[in-house]
Amino acid sequence: MAEAERTGTEHEQPGGRLSVVATTTDGIRVLTLAGEIDHHTGDVLRQALDVADVPQRRVVLDLRQLTFMDSSGINIFLAAHRALSEAGGWLRLVGPAGSVMRTMRIVGIDAVIDCHETLDQALSD
């Protein structure tokens, strides 16, 4: 696997409630999320996931540093999954834990979008 290349794309919600750092590994866009996704911070993630101007149609969301997510995050994930699938790509999730994983299981998103324990697994499948 090639080394991650820093793309220089970083999005942050004022107050630091959500940050998104974008890198590219082997042609796959990796978005590392830290903080919380809710109706106040969702636009930060929507902008980072906007696939219209991104050549990579394969996206991994690294959720290992995500501490909270409400239905706003679920809706954003589903919209991105649909858009990427329609463009011939895919969305994969890495490392959801605690309340984030609980939220995903309650609504069944883990049955719709591929979830992986490690970043290496998500990048190699």
Side-chain angles (χ1 to χ4, degrees):
M1 181 180 337
E3 257 207 42
E5 299 170 20
R6 189 94 164 156
T7 62
T9 306
E10 189 166 345
H11 304 270
E12 188 165 337
Q13 173 71 23
R17 292 189 49 208
L18 177 66
S19 69
V20 181
V21 176
T23 56
T24 301
T25 302
D26 294 337
I28 300 169
R29 183 177 171 97
V30 178
L31 300 177
T32 302
L33 311 181
E36 302 177 355
I37 302 172
D38 59 24
H39 69 282
H40 295 293
T41 63
D43 284 340
V44 172
L45 180 56
R46 272 189 206 89
Q47 290 171 5
L49 280 167
D50 184 7
V51 296
D53 61 349
V54 176
Q56 295 97 355
R57 299 291 183 223
R58 298 176 298 160
V59 177
V60 172
L61 296 181
D62 185 344
L63 309 178
R64 293 176 290 178
Q65 299 175 58
L66 194 64
T67 57
F68 174 81
M69 180 175 67
D70 66 9
S71 61
S72 302
I74 297 295
N75 292 329
I76 294 166
F77 288 1
L78 289 172
H81 171 70
R82 184 174 347 125
L84 289 163
S85 295
E86 289 173 359
W90 46 253
L91 176 68
R92 295 179 180 165
L93 308 176
V94 173
S99 66
V100 173
M101 187 63 199
R102 199 166 33 257
T103 300
M104 290 174 47
R105 282 191 177 141
I106 288 170
V107 298
I109 198 167
D110 58 324
V112 176
I113 302 174
D114 289 339
C115 293
H116 300 270
E117 290 183 26
T118 69
L119 184 56
D120 286 341
Q121 289 172 340
L123 293 171
S124 66
D125 282 351

